[in-house]
Amino acid sequence: MNKKLPEIISQATLKWRNYMKTYKIKLKYYMPSKKKIIGTSVLVLANTLIALIIPLFYMKFIDTVNIAHIKLENAIIILSIFIIQIAFGTLSRYMLNYIAQFTIKELRKELWRTTVHLPIEYFDQHSSGELMSQIINDTQIVKSFLSQDLCNAFSGILLLVGSIIVLTVIDWKITLVMGTLIIIIIFVIVPLGNLEYKISKKIQKEIAFMQSTLNRVLSDIRMVKFSTAESQEIERGFKNINNIFKSGVQEGKFMAIVEPFTIGVLMVVTIVVFSYGAIRIDNGTLSAGSLVAIIYCLLQLLNPCVEITNFYARYNKFLGACENLESILQNPTEEIAIDEKENRHIENGLIFDKVTFSYAKNKKILQNVSFQVRQNEKIAIVGLSGAGKTTILSLIERFYYPQSGYIYFNGSAINGINLKNWRNKIAYVSQENSIMEGTIKDNLVYGIEDYVEVDIEKAIEEVGLEGFINELEGKYNTEVGEKGIKLSGGQKQRIAIARAIIRKPEILLLDEATAHLDGISETRVQKALEKLMKDRITIIVAHRLSTVMDADQILILENGKINSQGKHEELLRTNMLYKKLVEQQLVKNEKGVQNV
């Protein structure tokens, strides 16, 4: 172990330098003003200096005091020193906590801002539970390190260095004992600190996985129950909890070794020093006041030495948390208007120009797709499952970007348009519409900044929900529950369509928008959609024959390519795939099934 110690210390130093270059530089942007930081540092320094003065004062007091003539002013001085130390200690603790809380507040704001603006690809690769763990748990680790561990280590190091100086002034031989103590602690603790880093990373990973599992199970608890998957989920959860337990026990072993060892070394040294001091007093080479001051210094160093010992492990845990947070912050957000360069098109409307896209490198979803939708025109995209229909909508929404080719709108490449401005031009109604927890009104105007109450009432009337809402006690302020659990599938879909009406989009994207409606509701909503589609570009992904029959053009998508395009009657005569899709639907309709 002796041969490895220099290497271990070198690695720890390198790790600290890397931290200084990355995390500290970035953390400082979230901290309060320099005045507060400097003021707090002064308080910590003053508190430490007072702690160092006390043993010297005791030494002088004991060596010069006359029991028969104790002066009142000496007692007042002692009391005043204690009061000042308590005051500085209280203020410094409060300010350190304030700085840590302020820093974490700003860091969490930045994390939340970044997370909301991360591209869809990021969420495809990371679970929501993992993100929750990083934003909540890892920031809490950073806060604890800044408010407690860093302060304790800083003041502990000052106290340790100061005490060595004081002890050297009192008796240089004692300094040798303290130096031996420090070497022993470093010799044992640094290797254990590397082990603690691995354990803490494992615990953080397991906790993130547990939060991910909780989020997944609780958000889809109905599916868990009707699938009778409770036993499966319980077993999976128990396995995760057991893993956390095992890692926690390993961490406990580490702490069980480190803290008692440190305290034990200090207590042995205290006994040795006390015995050695007693002999020196008996020989007349050391005063009683000096021995009291020495013992006071050793006892005063008990807690700081434990904190310094634990600091290395907590510092590694802090680094792990910082690495996790940095993995979020370093990701580019999607609020980027890509340079248009020379990507302009002379025609208006929405144009796909030789667009190729793939989620994975070896599998192209779309290949050289080209089509045009003019103003006040609606097209329908049909094809077998997996043909790339929904991907086209995702590219229009700029959830993803083409690997090659361009998408134009009114002459400009959409990648050159400010993202928020672009998405404000679009309304999207899907087969599975998301309903947020909150009121009906919250969901109707979600993300819409410019609206009037008349728009809401008119939209609700057009989708046929006015009777339902008027019967509710809270009307528009009725809570819909998590994921709109208090609403039926049809009601959710009509709210989503009403939201699209209120949005007044330039481009309307419909992904089987009337899938959950009965015949009567569909007829009414279809009329509302007809009004909504007027004077707008409309792109429909649909399976229902009634939805696509009157489209201005129908695109047949097959294996990521446009197989053919035209009107319903034309394709029915000329395209075998379209004819097959229509025949399949007619068969299903005869069986009472509405969708293909």
Side-chain angles (χ1 to χ4, degrees):
M1 189 175 287
N2 289 331
K3 295 180 180 179
K4 293 183 178 180
L5 185 60
E7 182 183 347
I8 292 170
I9 295 173
S10 176
Q11 290 175 355
T13 304
L14 180 61
K15 196 182 293 184
W16 174 257
R17 287 176 180 172
N18 291 335
Y19 160 72
M20 294 290 285
K21 291 178 181 178
T22 54
Y23 307 118
K24 184 179 178 184
I25 291 173
K26 293 176 182 179
L27 281 176
K28 74 179 183 181
Y29 294 119
Y30 309 118
M31 290 183 174
S33 64
K34 288 184 179 179
K35 290 182 179 178
K36 286 187 174 67
I37 296 173
I38 293 172
T40 304
S41 300
V42 170
L43 287 172
V44 173
L45 183 60
N47 187 51
T48 305
L49 290 175
I50 292 172
L52 292 171
I53 291 172
I54 290 176
L56 293 174
F57 183 82
Y58 276 167
M59 181 181 69
K60 184 178 179 181
F61 180 78
I62 292 171
D63 286 341
T64 59
V65 71
N66 186 334
I67 300 298
H69 302 88
I70 296 179
K71 295 181 180 180
L72 179 61
E73 51 264 33
N74 288 336
I76 293 174
I77 290 173
I78 294 174
L79 182 61
S80 299
I81 290 174
F82 276 112
I83 291 173
I84 292 171
Q85 186 182 28
I86 291 171
F88 278 126
T90 302
L91 286 172
S92 61
R93 288 289 176 186
Y94 170 78
M95 288 305 301
L96 283 165
N97 180 69
Y98 173 84
I99 290 172
Q101 295 287 359
F102 184 93
T103 303
I104 294 305
K105 178 196 71 172
E106 295 301 313
L107 177 59
R108 282 175 174 162
K109 283 182 179 179
E110 183 64 22
L111 284 165
W112 182 240
R113 185 187 298 111
T114 300
T115 300
V116 172
H117 286 303
L118 285 172
I120 290 296
E121 293 99 322
Y122 186 89
F123 297 100
D124 291 342
Q125 300 168 11
H126 298 81
S127 69
S128 56
E130 180 184 358
L131 285 170
M132 287 166 58
S133 175
Q134 290 173 340
I135 294 174
I136 297 172
N137 294 339
D138 289 336
T139 52
Q140 190 65 27
I141 291 171
V142 173
K143 182 190 79 67
S144 297
F145 180 81
L146 293 177
S147 63
Q148 298 176 17
D149 303 326
L150 190 60
C151 164
N152 292 337
F154 176 65
S155 59
I157 291 170
L158 288 177
L159 195 58
L160 184 62
V161 173
S163 295
I164 291 174
I165 295 172
V166 170
L167 289 169
T168 303
V169 172
I170 297 172
D171 192 307
W172 66 269
K173 295 177 183 178
I174 301 297
T175 308
L176 294 177
V177 177
M178 295 298 298
T180 303
L181 170 66
I182 294 169
I183 292 172
I184 292 172
I185 292 176
I186 293 175
F187 181 81
V188 175
I189 298 307
V190 171
L192 290 175
N194 289 324
L195 176 62
E196 165 64 10
Y197 174 69
K198 295 177 182 178
I199 295 172
S200 63
K201 284 286 289 182
K202 188 176 180 182
I203 291 174
Q204 286 168 266
K205 183 178 179 180
E206 290 292 344
I207 289 174
F209 181 76
M210 184 175 181
Q211 284 194 306
S212 177
T213 302
L214 280 170
N215 182 66
R216 176 181 58 79
V217 172
L218 295 180
S219 61
D220 290 318
I221 190 66
R222 284 166 180 78
M223 186 176 118
V224 172
K225 288 185 177 296
F226 74 66
S227 302
T228 62
E230 292 96 335
S231 298
Q232 179 182 341
E233 293 298 348
I234 289 171
E235 183 179 351
R236 187 179 299 175
F238 280 5
K239 183 179 179 181
N240 181 218
I241 292 169
N242 285 334
N243 288 338
I244 295 173
F245 167 75
K246 290 175 183 177
S247 299
V249 169
Q250 285 182 311
E251 188 176 40
K253 287 179 182 177
F254 169 81
M255 301 307 295
I257 294 171
V258 171
E259 290 192 16
F261 174 80
T262 306
I263 295 172
V265 169
L266 284 170
M267 293 307 295
V268 169
V269 171
T270 302
I271 294 169
V272 170
V273 169
F274 186 82
S275 302
Y276 174 67
I279 295 171
R280 293 275 303 276
I281 291 173
D282 189 56
N283 294 335
T285 57
L286 186 71
S287 68
S290 296
L291 180 59
V292 170
I294 291 169
I295 298 299
Y296 186 91
C297 283
L298 288 174
L299 293 176
Q300 192 170 239
L301 284 174
L302 183 63
N303 188 61
C305 281
V306 172
E307 292 296 337
I308 293 171
T309 302
N310 292 335
F311 173 77
Y312 186 67
R314 290 168 183 168
Y315 159 70
N316 281 316
K317 196 171 185 178
F318 162 75
L319 277 187
C322 285
E323 288 172 6
N324 291 337
L325 297 175
E326 186 65 19
S327 68
I328 299 175
L329 294 173
Q330 70 182 359
N331 283 277
T333 62
E334 62 174 358
E335 283 198 271
I336 301 173
I338 298 176
D339 189 0
E340 294 181 63
K341 297 181 181 178
E342 298 180 358
N343 303 327
R344 288 194 164 272
H345 206 282
I346 58 173
E347 297 185 62
N348 287 334
L350 184 70
I351 298 171
F352 269 57
D353 184 14
K354 299 178 181 178
V355 170
T356 296
F357 173 79
S358 62
Y359 296 104
K361 292 181 180 180
N362 300 325
K363 186 178 181 182
K364 291 182 179 179
I365 304 299
L366 300 177
Q367 301 180 57
N368 293 319
V369 171
S370 297
F371 63 86
Q372 180 177 3
V373 194
R374 295 179 177 85
Q375 188 68 23
N376 196 27
E377 188 176 46
K378 64 177 178 179
I379 70 165
I381 305 174
V382 299
L384 298 174
S385 178
K389 303 184 294 295
T390 302
T391 299
I392 287 177
L393 302 186
S394 295
L395 289 173
I396 294 172
E397 294 172 288
R398 284 171 62 184
F399 289 156
Y400 306 96
Y401 292 93
Q403 271 81 49
S404 63
Y406 298 98
I407 305 172
Y408 301 96
F409 179 70
N410 290 343
S412 300
I414 66 171
N415 290 1
I417 302 173
N418 176 273
L419 187 60
K420 183 177 180 180
N421 293 341
W422 171 245
R423 287 184 178 160
N424 280 335
K425 298 176 185 291
I426 301 171
Y428 175 68
V429 183
S430 71
Q431 183 175 348
E432 298 294 337
N433 287 288
S434 297
I435 297 294
M436 309 289 286
E437 186 173 1
T439 66
I440 291 176
K441 183 177 179 180
D442 290 338
N443 279 277
L444 287 169
V445 299
Y446 186 71
I448 304 173
E449 298 175 356
D450 185 19
Y451 71 90
V452 292
E453 297 297 326
V454 175
D455 292 338
I456 299 175
E457 295 172 1
K458 185 178 178 182
I460 286 298
E461 185 179 348
E462 288 182 359
V463 298
L465 277 179
E466 72 279 11
F468 165 71
I469 291 176
N470 288 333
E471 289 177 0
L472 298 172
E473 185 177 349
K475 301 294 190 293
Y476 289 99
N477 293 320
T478 301
E479 295 285 337
V480 299
E482 186 179 9
K483 291 189 176 183
I485 190 61
K486 298 179 182 179
L487 302 173
S488 69
Q491 289 165 346
K492 291 180 187 179
Q493 204 145 27
R494 281 187 277 180
I495 285 176
I497 294 170
R499 181 167 55 209
I501 295 172
I502 298 168
R503 197 174 184 87
K504 299 176 182 177
E506 295 181 43
I507 300 171
L508 180 63
L509 307 179
L510 303 177
D511 190 356
E512 198 56 72
T514 58
H516 292 301
L517 303 178
D518 55 46
I520 297 174
S521 298
E522 182 183 4
T523 301
R524 188 165 187 176
V525 169
Q526 198 65 48
K527 291 180 180 178
L529 287 174
E530 289 295 334
K531 292 180 182 178
L532 181 59
M533 288 185 278
K534 188 177 180 181
D535 299 325
R536 290 183 174 91
I537 289 173
T538 304
I539 299 177
I540 306 168
V541 170
H543 301 290
R544 292 191 180 191
L545 185 62
S546 59
T547 309
V548 303
M549 282 181 60
D550 60 344
D552 294 297
Q553 58 177 317
I554 301 171
L555 305 183
I556 310 299
L557 205 61
E558 184 178 17
N559 297 324
K561 298 179 180 179
I562 294 181
N563 174 292
S564 184
Q565 63 185 86
K567 289 186 176 292
H568 170 69
E569 295 80 4
E570 177 188 353
L571 293 172
L572 198 58
R573 293 193 311 269
T574 61
N575 189 276
M576 292 301 297
L577 176 59
Y578 184 72
K579 184 177 180 181
K580 179 181 178 181
L581 291 171
V582 171
E583 288 174 350
Q584 285 178 347
Q585 173 151 24
L586 290 174
V587 171
K588 288 184 179 266
N589 284 345
E590 289 177 1
K591 296 180 179 180
V593 181
Q594 292 185 337
N595 290 331
V596 179

